[in-house]
Amino acid sequence: SEWDLVCDNHWKGPFSMSVFFIGVLSGSFISGQLSDRFGRKLIMFGTMAVQTVFSMLQAFSPNWEIFCILNFLVGLGQISNLVAAFVLGSELLGKSIRIVFCTAGTCISFAIGYMTLPLIAYFIRSWPMLLLILALSGLLYVPLWWFIPESPRWLLIKGRVQEAEAILRQIAKKNGITPPEVLFNDLELEDMKARSKQSHSIIHLFKTHNIRAITVILFLVWFILTVEYFGLSLNTPNLHGDNYWNCFFSAAVEVPAYVAAWLFLRRFSRRFSISGSLLLGGVVLFFIQPIPSNLLAISTFLFIIGKLGITTAFCMAYVYTAELYPTVVRNTGVGVSLMASRLGSTISPYIFYLGVYSEFLPYILMGSLTVFSAFLVLFLPETLNVPLPETIDQMQK
């Protein structure tokens, strides 16, 4: 009511959320290429500063228009540091620890923050103060600059061999391992030097038939994933019961989803695990709306099951996408996939507006798209127990 976002201005509510996702979309497009060019660490901390500063300024927005502009910039910074951090962790860690990082380290941490949000919001009802407190938490990450190294893989691709060796020796020392006197022989150094002279851009994601097919399929899968994930998450206030508890339960279900993702990634095929989770998340949506109004508990339970399935697939998709692309374009590939997902998140606030035409339409649309994506995933190659490719040529083998 502060900015009169009611009646004829009711559209401004979901639109401000869409503006945030447009910022996320823009960040997804540029962050991957910036990170591949200037390094994972620099872009991660730089865009984290962008998110923190503009979030603080947003708390003092004098009107809705300024709020939307700042919301765009916050979204741009938010996704950029997420992409860079995810790829940096994937490249620094070994296969077994990489899976733990992508599930427990990244996703469960997100779920804990998600669950904390309604708790903080319950006690702080002023949205500017709530925004300011959330933004100030970004300052906690400043000291991490001196503890997180740059990706040795990226340094090697860029021909900065001495820096990569120094980081690898430091890692070996912390793990109590004595590294060999010579980490890279002359042949390997010549190969790295040749690769460092090669430049890669978004065009290389469509250069060959193999990588082009993977990029197109991932684009569609990520788009559909996010339409359903944010469609369900943003529909939480429409559920029966207290908004704060509903938000908490919607967040809490993500913890078992991420644990399930971790178990699936350790033991089972990436393709079948993601496809099965998407199938579960899509099928249950067909049964939510027909539930009688006097059985709201059942429809809420089905909603939670749908959220469980789609969140499990969402978590595994991050790992799977990073494993499919070679190092030279990994950050760009992940960035483009997330760009597709943000196209989906941009329209997600309006999905349930389709209920004006038919109350069944939103769930039928989301369910159909999700089942379709479950079959699309089966056309991607398997990456379980396959080393991460370094170049596009290796990807073709």
Side-chain angles (χ1 to χ4, degrees):
S1 61
E2 182 177 334
W3 291 329
D4 192 32
L5 305 183
V6 294
C7 299
D8 291 341
N9 290 326
H10 181 67
W11 61 272
K12 290 184 177 180
F15 181 78
S16 61
M17 199 68 228
S18 290
V19 168
F20 171 82
F21 286 125
I22 291 171
V24 172
L25 170 64
S26 304
S28 301
F29 184 73
I30 64 172
S31 63
Q33 296 183 72
L34 288 174
S35 185
D36 283 338
R37 182 176 293 272
F38 299 107
R40 304 352 184 176
K41 181 179 177 180
L42 179 63
I43 298 303
M44 181 179 74
F45 281 95
T47 53
M48 195 178 294
V50 169
Q51 179 185 356
T52 301
V53 169
F54 286 110
S55 291
M56 288 190 289
L57 292 175
Q58 198 175 27
F60 303 97
S61 302
N63 52 53
W64 177 78
E65 289 77 12
I66 296 298
F67 179 88
C68 283
I69 293 172
L70 293 173
N71 218 22
F72 171 85
L73 296 171
V74 170
L76 189 147
Q78 183 263 350
I79 191 62
S80 299
N81 66 64
L82 173 64
V83 173
F86 176 77
V87 174
L88 177 58
S90 298
E91 294 182 346
L92 274 173
L93 303 171
K95 183 184 67 174
S96 59
I97 302 300
R98 184 168 64 243
I99 293 173
V100 175
F101 164 76
C102 294
T103 51
T106 301
C107 296
I108 291 182
S109 298
F110 172 82
I112 292 172
Y114 191 174
M115 289 188 290
T116 306
L117 175 60
L119 175 65
I120 298 173
Y122 182 82
F123 291 103
I124 303 174
R125 300 300 177 97
S126 168
W127 70 262
M129 184 57 66
L130 177 63
L131 268 181
L132 185 60
I133 290 174
L134 295 175
L136 288 173
S137 65
L139 299 177
L140 298 173
Y141 300 98
V142 173
L144 295 179
W145 173 269
W146 290 275
F147 295 94
I148 298 177
E150 180 56 270
S151 165
R153 289 176 181 269
W154 178 81
L155 290 170
L156 289 171
I157 290 295
K158 291 297 180 181
R160 295 159 62 175
V161 180
Q162 291 182 339
E163 294 175 65
E165 280 192 351
I167 292 172
L168 291 172
R169 291 186 185 281
Q170 185 180 21
I171 292 173
K173 182 179 179 181
K174 287 183 178 180
N175 289 325
I177 298 172
T178 303
E181 190 172 329
V182 178
L183 291 179
F184 307 103
N185 58 44
D186 292 338
L187 184 62
E188 290 173 324
L189 290 175
E190 285 297 323
D191 181 54
M192 291 172 195
K193 188 180 293 185
R195 278 191 277 164
S196 68
K197 295 178 181 178
Q198 300 175 356
S199 60
H200 295 83
S201 65
I202 194 172
I203 301 299
H204 287 81
L205 299 181
F206 302 91
K207 189 175 181 181
T208 65
H209 173 75
N210 191 12
I211 196 170
R212 182 167 57 248
I214 288 172
T215 299
V216 171
I217 292 174
L218 286 176
F219 192 96
L220 293 171
V221 169
W222 274 101
F223 175 83
I224 295 169
L225 258 174
T226 325
V227 166
E228 182 172 351
Y229 177 83
F230 284 103
L232 292 175
S233 298
L234 295 175
N235 191 51
T236 302
N238 296 327
L239 296 177
H240 177 70
D242 181 76
N243 286 339
Y244 294 96
W245 278 113
N246 285 339
C247 183
F248 175 81
F249 288 131
S250 180
V253 74
E254 299 202 2
V255 175
Y258 295 141
V259 172
W262 171 63
L263 294 173
F264 285 142
L265 289 169
R266 286 190 65 191
R267 302 283 183 181
F268 304 106
S269 159
R270 294 343 189 202
R271 289 187 306 160
F272 292 116
S273 297
I274 295 175
S275 181
S277 299
L278 285 169
L279 197 60
L280 171 65
V283 168
V284 296
L285 292 182
F286 292 118
F287 300 97
I288 291 178
Q289 198 58 41
I291 300 295
S293 58
N294 62 329
L295 298 174
L296 290 172
I298 296 178
S299 62
T300 302
F301 174 75
L302 291 176
F303 173 90
I304 295 298
I305 294 298
K307 183 79 184 295
L308 176 73
I310 200 67
T311 303
T312 303
F314 212 125
C315 182
M316 291 188 287
Y318 277 100
V319 179
Y320 192 36
T321 302
E323 291 178 343
L324 283 170
Y325 285 112
T327 301
V328 291
V329 290
R330 181 170 297 117
N331 217 96
T332 300
V334 172
V336 168
S337 296
L338 291 182
M339 180 185 71
S341 77
R342 298 320 163 188
L343 280 171
S345 61
T346 300
I347 68 170
S348 63
Y350 296 96
I351 287 293
F352 281 91
Y353 276 72
L354 295 173
V356 173
Y357 304 100
S358 169
E359 60 182 7
F360 297 97
L361 188 56
Y363 291 103
I364 291 174
L365 178 62
M366 289 197 301
S368 301
L369 286 174
T370 307
V371 171
F372 171 66
S373 69
F375 289 103
L376 271 182
V377 170
L378 299 176
F379 290 95
L380 292 169
E382 183 55 64
T383 60
L384 180 64
N385 298 324
V386 177
L388 286 179
E390 299 289 344
T391 66
I392 294 176
D393 289 338
Q394 290 177 0
M395 185 182 179
Q396 296 300 109
K397 295 178 182 178

